[in-house]
Amino acid sequence: VGILLQKDPQTEVPTQADMHPVGTEATILRYLTTPDGGHHVVCRGERRFRVNEFIDGFPFLVARIEYLEPERSTAADASAPAAAPEIEARMIQLKERVAEILQLLPQAPAELAATAQAMTNPAQLADFVAGLMDLEAVQKQELLETIDLKARLDLVLERLARGGELSV
């Protein structure tokens, strides 16, 4: 399933113009109905996409998309060997910062810190930490639209430095 953020959550029947152009392909893990009658879907984001065009004729929004290529992050990548040390340094810094924050939160499960520390893919680490952060929807959208890995790591680190809290 593709997930896009509405620009205005108050819009009852969103159209193409009401949606952000970058979204996430997601796997639905669980569907929940709350005691008050609310409905929630628990999803796991898989990869980013950009909407090329919306297709008419369906009772829901359907779009042609292009997947946004994953970032190159290791020295073995021929496309950006010079970037690897910069990415690695930011990844280490992000892991340290997250560990410090999680130690200060008594309700944080130990598995969160262990998961962050075990991650070897900097793009996944940035997205994992961003998912834990207590950010406004537009701030999360900004992170989603930041495809450049170095810039995304910098943005997550900046949000944490500004007092971005982890919601666990």
Side-chain angles (χ1 to χ4, degrees), residues 116-131:
Q117 294 305 313
M119 290 186 159
T120 58
N121 182 311
Q124 288 177 347
L125 177 65
D127 293 343
F128 176 74
V129 173

Side-chain angles (χ1 to χ4, degrees), residues 7-27:
K7 293 176 182 173
D8 179 3
Q10 302 304 316
T11 303
E12 289 290 324
V13 182
T15 65
Q16 176 179 351
D18 299 315
M19 308 304 286
H20 285 276
V22 175
T24 304
E25 173 189 326
T27 299

Side-chain angles (χ1 to χ4, degrees), residues 53-58 60-64:
E53 69 175 308
F54 284 90
I55 303 168
D56 294 329
F58 294 89
F60 44 84
L61 292 176
V62 175
R64 284 192 175 84

Side-chain angles (χ1 to χ4, degrees), residues 32-40:
L32 306 167
T33 303
T34 60
D36 66 355
H39 301 280
H40 300 274

Side-chain angles (χ1 to χ4, degrees), residues 79-157:
S79 64
E86 293 177 340
I87 299 297
E88 190 68 28
R90 284 167 173 78
M91 188 173 170
I92 291 167
Q93 185 180 6
L94 184 54
K95 284 183 177 186
E96 289 173 355
R97 184 72 178 118
V98 168
E100 291 169 4
I101 292 171
L102 289 174
Q103 284 181 342
L104 298 174
L105 300 174
Q107 77 277 17
E111 295 84 19
L112 282 180
T115 299
Q117 294 305 313
M119 290 186 159
T120 58
N121 182 311
Q124 288 177 347
L125 177 65
D127 293 343
F128 176 74
V129 173
L132 295 175
M133 293 177 70
D134 187 19
L135 298 172
E136 298 289 324
V138 293
Q139 294 172 312
K140 287 192 177 194
Q141 182 68 33
E142 180 185 9
L143 284 165
L144 183 68
E145 292 180 6
T146 305
I147 305 306
D148 179 76
L149 182 54
K150 181 178 160 191
R152 188 159 76 239
L153 286 163
D154 285 343
L155 193 53
V156 172
L157 284 164

